Amino acid sequence: MTRLSDYTTFGIGGEAKNFIVATTEQEIIDAVVAADDRSARVLILSGGSNMLVGDAGFDGTVVKVATKGIETHVSASGRAIVTVAAGEVWDEFVALSVTNGWLGIEALSGIPGLVGAAPVQNIGAYGQEVGDTVSQVRALDRVTRNIVTFTNQACGFGYRTSEFKRSVQPGQASGRYVVLQVGFEFAPGTLASPVAYAELAAYLGVRLGDRVDASRVREAVLAIRASKSMVYSPDDIDSHSAGSFFTNPYVSAEAAATLPADAPRFGQPDGTVKTSAAWLIDHAGFGKGFSIPESSGRAALSSKHVLALTNRGGATATEVLALADAIRAGVQAQFGIDLVPEPVLV
Ligand SMILES: Cc1cc2nc3c(=O)[nH]c(=O)nc-3n(C[C@H](O)[C@H](O)[C@H](O)COP(=O)(O)OP(=O)(O)OC[C@H]3O[C@@H](n4cnc5c(N)ncnc54)[C@H](O)[C@@H]3O)c2cc1C
């Protein structure tokens, strides 16, 4: 029996009924199709850094993606066309992109997990999103059983979402599409895109909109993330999490007007206003390290960052969810805003 706690950055999760490590695309396809034929539940597991798996485990088939391979060629216009197997490690790929002068993902340095999961929630940080450089995604369609290719537009990228994430039905662990390969198209060069994030600009000592070497952006992002335990390390208990547990809420202009004057507000082109989940949590009384008595401190907010719920050692999924519920209820009572969890709850 395989304990899923060994495969998640939370270090939480009971046993898997069936656990298959797939090192080739065909093994992924065969495992998923065989499980679907038996009407067994399927969990596609990559780096396990964006999921909270229940204490009872998973009563179906877990397919652990472990495919490898990166192919590159240069387009007629000089852009780098790079095709990456789903099982490659995301941050190793970012490091390779910076070394090779492929621009556009340097600010996504240090995000845990594998390449195939990156388009699923359209990972983003420090002013970049993966959807800005993904050119296509090859996937198994579990309904038609065809291998399908999504163009960038067909991926339907949005804030921490995509068609892949939207295809997860309520009660299911994984969606209709199993990402097999991700294609990127990068502009070549050394100067990263204009710095679009105030904290990053301040760290680099430049102004918003300035351009610096992609390698400096990568170093700066890794240093900022490490200072907040947002780089996963088995030795750093503040990183035993799924990263940010809640997404930043988008609210109507009327709702935003009712927030305290010092609440962050970022107007959006569609008239909605984005505010900060971290600010709401902090100002609803849940400071760094907050814990609920029921978990005796085992499940607590990170000591560095109120957006990360962490397992301080021996926490159960039930305890993490109780902590999340307490925070959601507190923010709802104080500000009338419902926080939405970012990780997949399995
Ligand atoms: C310390 C820390 C910091 C983080 N910082 C960030 C951040 O800055 N920005 C950000 O966006 N995220 C962040 N995250 C969240 C997480 O790292 C990303 O969402 C990452 O892309 C998840 O990758 P994974 O391989 O671990 O996916 P998993 O956790 O294994 O899977 C996540 C979901 O995607 C599905 N999935 C995985 N692989 C595939 C596939 N090949 N095909 C179809 N579905 C698939 C799974 O079934 C599951 O539903 C952070 C997490 C941690 C722990």
Side-chain angles (χ1 to χ4, degrees):
M1 280 286 190
T2 307
R3 285 199 69 79
L4 293 171
S5 53
D6 293 338
Y7 291 87
T8 61
T9 50
F10 254 126
I12 292 176
E15 283 173 358
K17 185 171 174 192
N18 241 317
F19 189 89
I20 297 169
V21 179
T23 58
T24 64
E25 276 193 7
Q26 199 56 51
E27 284 174 9
I28 298 178
I29 295 165
D30 290 348
V32 171
V33 166
D36 283 344
D37 276 343
R38 296 193 307 273
S39 300
R41 297 182 72 218
V42 173
L43 170 63
I44 307 298
L45 173 67
S46 286
S49 67
N50 206 31
M51 54 174 72
L52 177 60
V53 180
D55 306 313
F58 191 71
D59 63 351
T61 296
V62 177
V63 181
K64 167 80 182 135
V65 178
T67 50
K68 295 285 172 197
I70 300 179
E71 288 165 27
T72 61
H73 74 272
V74 179
S75 74
S77 60
R79 294 170 74 83
I81 311 294
V82 186
T83 309
V84 189
E88 291 283 347
V89 174
W90 172 256
D91 190 54
E92 290 174 6
F93 176 58
V94 178
L96 182 75
S97 77
V98 172
T99 305
N100 287 351
W102 303 333
L103 299 175
I105 54 173
E106 55 283 342
L108 304 179
S109 293
I111 298 181
L114 305 184
V115 169
V120 174
Q121 80 146 357
N122 186 19
I123 55 168
Y126 300 99
Q128 284 181 349
E129 284 187 338
V130 75
D132 298 337
T133 45
V134 167
S135 54
Q136 57 178 46
V137 171
R138 250 180 91 244
L140 166 70
D141 179 343
R142 291 170 60 196
V143 173
T144 64
R145 298 195 166 174
N146 291 326
I147 304 297
V148 288
T149 300
F150 288 76
T151 60
N152 175 287
Q153 210 188 356
C155 291
F157 290 122
Y159 170 63
R160 298 298 166 275
T161 194
S162 68
E163 281 310 308
F164 314 110
K165 190 162 177 177
R166 286 183 206 106
S167 78
V168 181
Q169 299 301 317
Q172 294 299 315
S174 291
R176 169 170 177 176
Y177 304 104
V178 183
V179 176
L180 302 171
Q181 235 182 19
V182 185
F184 295 84
E185 190 177 323
F186 299 111
T190 51
L191 278 187
S193 48
V195 175
Y197 202 83
E199 191 184 10
L200 180 58
Y203 186 93
L204 287 163
V206 301
R207 283 169 310 197
L208 275 177
D210 283 354
R211 296 184 67 186
V212 301
D213 262 18
S215 58
R216 278 187 66 204
V217 172
R218 173 165 168 81
E219 279 165 28
V221 166
L222 287 175
I224 298 171
R225 294 185 73 97
S227 72
K228 298 181 191 170
S229 295
M230 287 299 270
V231 178
Y232 177 76
S233 160
D235 303 328
D236 179 359
I237 217 157
D238 275 321
S239 74
H240 295 191
S241 71
S244 303
F245 197 87
F246 298 106
T247 54
N248 288 318
Y250 286 70
V251 298
S252 66
E254 298 78 55
T258 67
L259 292 173
D262 56 339
R265 293 176 174 80
F266 306 96
Q268 302 297 307
D270 64 358
T272 61
V273 177
K274 177 179 167 182
T275 185
S276 157
W279 189 95
L280 296 170
I281 292 169
D282 206 17
H283 288 76
F286 305 102
K288 292 171 187 162
F290 175 83
S291 179
I292 50 172
E294 297 90 299
S295 85
S296 307
R298 288 184 292 270
L301 291 182
S302 158
S303 70
K304 311 234 176 73
H305 182 352
V306 296
L307 212 41
L309 275 64
T310 62
N311 171 9
R312 318 302 293 178
T316 62
T318 309
E319 289 168 344
V320 172
L321 285 177
L323 175 62
D325 284 348
I327 291 168
R328 281 178 87 171
V331 168
Q332 174 62 244
Q334 181 99 11
F335 300 113
I337 291 179
D338 193 21
L339 292 178
V340 176
E342 183 182 302
V344 178
L345 308 176
V346 180

